[in-house]
Amino acid sequence: MTIGIVGAGSVGSAIGTVLARAGIEAKILNRRGAAAMGPLAALLAPHVTAGTHEEVLGADIVFVAVPWTRLGEALGGVDWTGRIVVDCTNALEGPSFKPVNLHGRTSSEAFATYVPGARVVKTINHILPHLLAGDPRAEGGRRVLFLAGDDADAKAEIGAIIDKIGFYRVDLGGLREGGRMIEFPGGPLPALNFVVFD
């Protein structure tokens, strides 16, 4: 199972950090190319390394952590059929952080239009990047990562990764209902730091 990470900003870097720490192999891509990865590449090696456009966007599982306004540019022209795409985005216009008008859709429903045929799972967008990159064990328990999606097998695959990186997964159900709970802005769960004592 190959893993790609699109975006090497604060969220993409945090995803790379937790995967590398757990010994999970992945390729990461930013729009400026591998040479611009610099210190981040050294930090993530050897498990997470800079990848080509084809390697990252052609992976079995692709984590998407780019600004909303760059989704078309970052994801266009790719056959997504049957692959798992993890929506780690929030529907905001940068740098103003103005909410995008989604015309009644949830952000994940809108996101899915950029990756037609993919099995979309929403997660990670709701937790602050420094908490994601930090120790998942806190206050004597484990930090929670919520996830939502319509494909049970895809959620199981991403849930297994959540388990391996040390977080506690909570399945919120389908993409529309569950995704609405963790979308930002608007959802009740983003930016809250939940810990489960298990």
Side-chain angles (χ1 to χ4, degrees):
M1 187 72 70
T2 56
I3 297 176
I5 305 166
V6 183
S10 58
V11 177
S13 298
I15 295 168
T17 298
V18 295
L19 294 181
R21 188 168 58 212
I24 298 173
E25 302 285 329
K27 297 283 187 183
I28 188 168
L29 174 72
N30 73 353
R31 64 178 170 171
R32 294 182 306 245
M37 299 283 285
L40 178 62
L43 176 69
L44 301 181
H47 298 294
V48 178
T49 56
T52 65
H53 184 273
E54 292 73 21
E55 288 173 325
V56 173
L57 295 177
D60 300 312
I61 297 173
V62 180
F63 288 84
V64 178
V66 299
W68 187 269
T69 52
R70 286 194 52 239
L71 286 176
E73 170 195 345
L75 304 177
V78 177
D79 181 4
W80 296 103
T81 306
R83 293 190 289 127
I84 299 173
V85 178
V86 185
D87 172 15
C88 309
T89 69
N90 289 306
L92 298 167
E93 294 179 6
S96 68
F97 293 100
K98 177 183 175 183
V100 175
N101 185 351
L102 300 176
H103 305 286
R105 296 176 297 176
T106 65
S107 62
S108 282
E109 287 175 308
F111 174 90
T113 65
Y114 290 97
V115 288
R119 299 180 290 156
V120 176
V121 177
K122 178 113 178 144
T123 189
I124 292 176
N125 69 294
H126 62 85
I127 189 170
L128 296 172
H130 74 277
L131 294 178
L132 177 64
D135 190 344
R137 295 210 162 268
E139 311 297 332
R142 282 190 290 160
R143 295 193 199 282
V144 169
L145 282 182
F146 297 103
L147 73 162
D150 296 332
D151 186 294
D153 291 338
K155 282 197 292 186
E157 292 277 3
I158 301 308
I161 292 174
I162 290 172
D163 295 345
K164 190 166 183 181
I165 63 177
F167 287 79
Y168 186 93
R169 61 169 142 155
V170 174
D171 186 342
L172 296 177
L175 197 60
R176 180 174 177 80
E177 298 80 11
R180 193 182 297 280
M181 296 287 287
I182 53 175
E183 70 180 7
F184 180 83
L189 299 177
L192 298 178
N193 182 19
F194 289 93
V195 175
V196 168
F197 301 94
D198 56 346

